[in-house]
Each structure stands twice: as C-alpha cells, then as structure tokens.
Amino acid sequence: MATFVVIMPLMIAAQWSASRTRSERESEVLEQAGSVAATAGAYLNQYINGLDSMASALVRHPAVMALDSGQSDALFSAVLRDQPLILNILLTDTAGHVKGTAVVSRSVREVSAVAMGYINQVVTSGKPVVSELMMGKVSGKPTVVLAYPVRGPK
C-alpha cells in the first residue's frame, strides 16, 4: 500500500508537468502562427502592389491601347513567363471579344458572362475591379480576376 501512495503523487506531478509544457508550447505555436500570417499577408500585399504596377504599365503599351492582337499576345506571353502566379492576361474590347491573350485558346474568343460583368463594371466606372474567387474558364483553376480599363490613344 505504501508503494501505491508514493507512485500516485509522482504520476500526478508528471501529468501536471506534461500539461504545463503542452500549454506553454501551444502559446508559442500560436504566437509563431500569428507572426507567419502577418508576414505572409505583407508579402501578398507587396506582390499585389507589384501586379497593379505591372498592369498600369501594360494598359499604357501602344499595342494594348490599339487592341493589336498579334503584338498583345507576344507581350502578354513574355510577361506570363516571368510571373508564375498569373494564369493568363487577357485583353478584350467593351463587348467582351478577346483581342489579346497570353494563353492562346481557339475555343475562347469571347469572355464568359461572369467575366463580362467585370468588364461592364470597368467600362462604367473607369476604375480597376477585383473579382471574387472563381474557377477560370481557360485554366480550370481557382482564379481572381483583376480587370483594368484600357484607354485608346489620345
């Protein structure tokens, strides 16, 4: 009986120690997760700002402003090679007809009705529009559309 009494306090102490260690580690992991999330958010924001700058330059390119398919396709393909997170770059007229694309697809010469809604918003507001997450028609991958107005040469 004396052995049982001695072992119980040791088992209780071991359980308490394990619980305390787990609690401390959990706090550390939560703190590290918060730090990782903040860092990832900052990098994502920086990347999106870079995309915005790139789009600003592309909409001012003479081939894009002229809706020149051949030159726009070549320009967009060159940009796409250096930007692995971009699925496609697409240039349309106000009616949704494809005038340039980085990923040539013979089956897609007009944008979907969903994308047409974003084109109409850009044409109406004259400002960039960001879509909700959707499945890309050409890529079949989760996609967010960043649509920018293109103004013709003055």
Side-chain angles (χ1 to χ4, degrees):
M1 195 66 153
T3 307
F4 179 72
V5 172
V6 171
I7 292 175
M8 282 302 286
L10 289 175
M11 290 175 59
I12 291 171
Q15 181 64 26
W16 174 83
S17 177
S19 175
R20 176 84 178 189
T21 301
R22 188 177 322 122
S23 176
E24 289 172 359
R25 290 294 298 154
E26 186 177 316
S27 295
E28 288 175 24
V29 168
L30 286 174
E31 189 176 310
Q32 288 175 352
S35 177
V36 167
T39 302
Y43 278 121
L44 180 60
N45 193 37
Q46 183 179 10
Y47 182 75
I48 290 173
N49 284 338
L51 288 179
D52 197 46
S53 296
M54 180 185 64
S56 180
L58 286 174
V59 299
R60 288 173 175 80
H61 191 279
V64 173
M65 291 172 41
L67 302 179
D68 183 319
S69 294
Q71 288 185 2
S72 293
D73 288 353
L75 174 65
F76 296 160
S77 293
V79 170
L80 196 64
R81 280 191 296 274
D82 295 332
Q83 297 291 332
L85 296 180
I86 297 177
L87 300 174
N88 195 3
I89 302 171
L90 194 68
L91 175 65
T92 70
D93 61 13
T94 56
H97 300 107
V98 176
K99 298 298 183 180
T101 180
V103 178
V104 178
S105 171
R106 300 207 189 292
S107 63
V108 180
R109 293 315 308 162
E110 292 184 2
V111 298
S112 68
V114 172
M116 194 61 212
Y118 298 112
I119 293 170
N120 289 336
Q121 285 180 20
V122 169
V123 170
T124 302
S125 70
K127 297 179 182 177
V129 173
V130 179
S131 77
E132 297 292 324
L133 183 66
M134 67 174 113
M135 291 304 289
K137 186 175 180 181
V138 174
S139 69
K141 296 179 181 179
T143 303
V144 173
V145 174
L146 304 173
Y148 294 83
V150 175
R151 292 170 178 83
K154 304 229 184 228

